[in-house]
Amino acid sequence: NVSTAELVDYFYTTYRYSNAYISWKMFLAFKRSPEENFHNDACQKCGKDDGELICCDTCNLAFHMNCLEPAVSDVPDDWSCDICEKYFSSLKNGKALKLLAKNYVSALNF
């Protein structure tokens, strides 16, 4: 048997960053209708929904600029979160898939 604390710890330290979880989150994000707000309203790292958030160009995640590692002071023109960078770089056709994801996100942000 696994305790609730162990399960929560596993989710937030391991599973949340796994390819399986990221793929599932991207699948759910891509199923949203264009009328829905695509990007998250809270920072993926700290969970707070206050302040200015920078949105990933290839998925639905958003972050505070000071929560990024390293922190940034200016919003980059073309930016993908570390999770997407790791995910797409691990795939055989990662560059092409990243471009498809970016085009999809761009279309949703009309």
Side-chain angles (χ1 to χ4, degrees):
N1 290 338
V2 177
S3 71
T4 303
E6 290 172 317
L7 184 61
V8 169
D9 181 61
Y10 173 75
F11 176 80
Y12 282 104
T13 60
T14 306
Y15 182 70
R16 184 176 174 186
Y17 302 103
S18 70
N19 282 344
Y21 179 74
I22 294 166
S23 297
W24 176 72
K25 287 286 285 183
M26 292 181 77
F27 171 76
L28 291 179
F30 291 155
K31 286 186 69 168
R32 291 184 182 187
S33 69
E35 294 80 30
E36 294 182 70
N37 183 5
F38 179 73
H39 285 99
N40 292 352
D41 295 331
C43 176
Q44 178 69 16
K45 181 153 186 177
C46 72
K48 296 180 182 175
D49 62 357
D50 60 341
E52 184 178 354
L53 296 171
I54 180 174
C55 298
C56 179
D57 287 340
T58 49
C59 75
N60 66 321
L61 300 182
F63 298 83
H64 291 112
M65 291 191 289
N66 61 336
C67 285
L68 297 173
E69 294 178 17
V72 296
S73 57
D74 295 320
V75 178
D77 291 333
D78 185 24
W79 180 79
S80 292
C81 67
D82 286 344
I83 296 170
C84 282
E85 288 296 336
K86 288 176 189 172
Y87 177 71
F88 286 112
S89 66
S90 72
L91 300 174
K92 183 178 180 181
N93 297 323
K95 287 185 180 183
L97 292 171
K98 183 178 175 184
L99 181 60
L100 286 173
K102 184 177 177 182
N103 289 340
Y104 181 81
V105 171
S106 177
L108 289 177
N109 289 324
F110 42 84

